[in-house]
């Protein structure tokens, strides 16, 4: 599951806060691909 961590996240822009929490687009894509068993080397840019 991807949820906000149970810790304080420093005040910043929303994008920076999501990045710090691991909930930005790149982290979500990485988690989804990992759940599907797709290796990082098979990902295309």
């Amino acid at each position: 599951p991807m949820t906000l961590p149970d810790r304080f996240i420093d005040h910043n822009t929303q994008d920076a806060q999501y990045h710090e929490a691991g909930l930005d687009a790149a982290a979500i894509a990485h988690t989804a691909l990992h759940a599907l068993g797709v290796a990082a080397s098979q990902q295309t840019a």
Side-chain angles (χ1 to χ4, degrees):
M2 297 186 74
T3 61
L4 288 170
D6 189 22
R7 62 178 173 81
F8 181 78
I9 296 176
D10 289 328
H11 181 78
N12 208 330
T13 65
Q14 285 183 351
D15 288 339
Q17 289 177 321
Y18 281 126
H19 177 74
E20 183 178 340
L23 294 172
D24 59 351
I28 292 169
H30 173 64
T31 300
L33 291 172
H34 180 74
L36 293 171
V38 178
S41 62
Q42 295 176 352
Q43 297 175 19
T44 58

